Amino acid sequence: MSRFWSPIVHSLTPYTPGEQVAMPKLVKLNTNENPYGPSPQAIAAMREAVADQLRLYPDPNASALKEALAGHFGLARDQVFVGNSSDEVLAHTFQALLKHEQPLLCPDISYSFYPTYCSLYDIDYRVVPLNADFEIDVADYAQPGGAIIIANPNAPTGRALALDQIEALLAAHPDQVVVVDEAYVDFGGASAAALIPRFDNLLVIQTFSKSRSLAGLRVGYALGHAELIAGLERVKNSFNCYPLGQVAIAGAVAALQDSAYFEQTRGAIIATREALSERMAAMGFEVLPSKTNFIFVRHPAHAAVALAAALRQRAILVRHFKQARIEQFLRISIGTDAECAQLVAALDEILAG
Ligand SMILES: *Cc1c(COP(=O)(O)O)cnc(C)c1O
């Protein structure tokens, strides 16, 4: 607390990211990082960009990246927005598109940054509970609201909605923006990007952090109707004209182009996820069906907090959320097969003891 703070600062509830700790031989399954490195082609492109023109400001429009994304998704360049991480893209989205007379609707259990942005931008929001199986039921959004935001697949549950459900949601709310945060869509979900030509109220947000393994680079993007994108550009250019440097632009373009590496690594993560889900179920865990690079699990006889602490003693980090309805769950990121084997061995030991 300081008397020098602007009034709003007193009322903010900042987001708490998963911890980044330096422990020897740590098995880090707490922040959904990709266990495989970025594309070697992306690393080479970034090295080259470092030797290049860092003296100069980057292209404020990041045209090379917008062009690559537009080509990838079959969209026009003015249907693409890019930013310094999808968190930043989300922040601009909240400010540019989600503040209306009626409250913003979002799931009760979802990405916990959404309420944080609401407090930052003074946006009124109302939570819509997931059903008893921790699924989004789009029928529950048939209520007054100024806009809607969901994550699909959802976090931290890992559950995905089918595309026809997203389509039903868009069709039911033609006068509200519907934002679909697709941070994990490449691990088995169906992207709503295909619906953009048919729905001018749809904004899809994705990131290079998870499936492209570039969390450290900070590149995210939004796809949608040109008028939605133009609104985001106005906010972005009132905030920071150069959110992406040359290195980030070069790395993201090259990562997008290396589809062989992308397919290989996401395939490995999906295979490991399926094997780990089966193994955890055999140990007595309830495992929600995941379409992401993490699983969300609970054990009927062991408290989540105790399990997380026991794992931590064995240098294995997982994520626990102190939140109603999910306090007995652990969110476990999918690591390499070797890391998941270590997790399983540790859990066998903990459950036996
Ligand atoms: C990880 C994550 C993001 C943030 O991704 P960055 O691009 O690294 O900021 C956004 N939304 C959800 C649901 C996430 O899990």
Side-chain angles (χ1 to χ4, degrees):
M1 289 278 241
S2 161
R3 64 197 167 92
F4 299 116
W5 288 359
S6 301
I8 190 173
V9 177
H10 295 274
S11 66
L12 295 179
T13 325
Y15 179 76
T16 315
E19 47 176 351
Q20 299 289 355
V21 293
M23 261 191 230
K25 293 192 184 161
L26 182 67
V27 177
K28 193 169 176 306
L29 306 177
N30 67 328
T31 53
N32 298 343
E33 287 146 328
N34 192 312
Y36 305 107
S39 151
Q41 290 177 26
I43 292 173
M46 290 188 277
R47 285 224 165 86
E48 208 166 302
V50 169
D52 199 18
Q53 313 257 318
L54 281 181
R55 181 179 68 81
L56 303 174
Y57 281 104
D59 171 9
N61 227 345
S63 303
L65 180 55
K66 284 187 182 173
E67 190 83 55
L69 286 165
H72 185 80
F73 289 99
L75 297 168
R77 221 160 70 178
D78 64 0
Q79 295 177 300
V80 180
F81 178 81
V82 298
N84 186 277
S85 80
S86 67
D87 283 341
E88 186 187 87
V89 173
L90 281 164
H92 291 332
T93 299
F94 274 74
Q95 192 171 29
L97 303 174
L98 301 183
K99 183 167 179 165
H100 299 282
E101 209 142 294
Q102 296 279 354
L104 171 68
L105 304 179
C106 64
D108 62 339
I109 295 158
S110 192
Y111 189 33
S112 50
F113 227 131
Y114 304 155
T116 296
Y117 291 130
C118 287
S119 79
L120 178 60
Y121 295 118
D122 192 25
I123 298 168
D124 188 21
Y125 71 97
R126 183 184 307 145
V127 296
V128 180
L130 299 180
N131 71 17
D133 296 322
F134 298 98
E135 291 167 299
I136 291 170
D137 183 342
V138 297
D140 294 337
Y141 289 77
Q143 54 174 297
I148 295 169
I149 184 164
I150 60 171
N152 190 46
N154 198 12
T157 64
R159 301 206 69 153
L161 269 183
L163 209 50
D164 63 337
Q165 294 301 296
I166 302 282
E167 192 173 335
L169 186 66
L170 289 162
H173 302 273
D175 298 320
Q176 280 94 37
V177 175
V178 176
V179 177
V180 185
D181 179 350
E182 295 187 340
Y184 299 103
V185 76
D186 294 326
F187 300 107
S191 176
L195 301 174
I196 287 169
R198 290 173 43 217
F199 293 96
D200 65 359
N201 57 332
L202 167 62
L203 190 78
V204 171
I205 297 180
Q206 296 193 0
T207 176
F208 282 82
S209 295
K210 314 282 170 48
S211 59
R212 304 274 173 183
S213 197
L214 287 168
L217 195 63
R218 314 308 295 133
V219 183
Y221 51 98
L223 311 167
H225 191 279
E227 281 178 19
L228 298 182
I229 301 302
L232 291 173
E233 295 288 355
R234 287 173 73 105
V235 167
K236 170 248 173 189
N237 288 318
S238 306
F239 177 80
N240 178 3
C241 289
Y242 308 103
L244 292 181
Q246 282 102 324
V247 177
I249 293 169
V253 168
L256 195 64
Q257 286 166 347
D258 193 352
S259 48
Y261 186 82
F262 170 74
E263 293 300 341
Q264 180 206 323
T265 49
R266 77 163 166 167
I269 290 165
I270 291 169
T272 304
R273 176 189 73 208
E274 295 306 303
L276 180 64
S277 298
E278 222 171 280
R279 191 69 177 74
M280 300 278 295
M283 275 190 269
F285 282 91
E286 176 189 356
V287 184
L288 297 192
S290 170
K291 295 284 188 197
T292 62
N293 69 337
F294 58 85
I295 54 175
F296 203 48
V297 305
R298 67 179 158 189
H299 197 284
H302 294 267
V305 173
L307 287 176
L311 286 170
R312 197 191 163 90
Q313 280 181 346
R314 292 161 174 83
I316 299 172
L317 294 189
V318 300
R319 189 95 195 256
H320 173 256
F321 296 90
K322 234 188 264 162
Q323 193 190 338
R325 294 186 75 188
I326 57 168
E327 61 274 281
Q328 289 312 330
F329 279 92
L330 294 175
R331 192 196 68 189
I332 304 175
S333 308
I334 303 301
T336 60
D337 282 331
E339 288 172 322
C340 291
Q342 268 180 272
L343 169 80
V344 165
L347 282 171
D348 273 338
E349 198 181 288
I350 294 162
L351 297 186

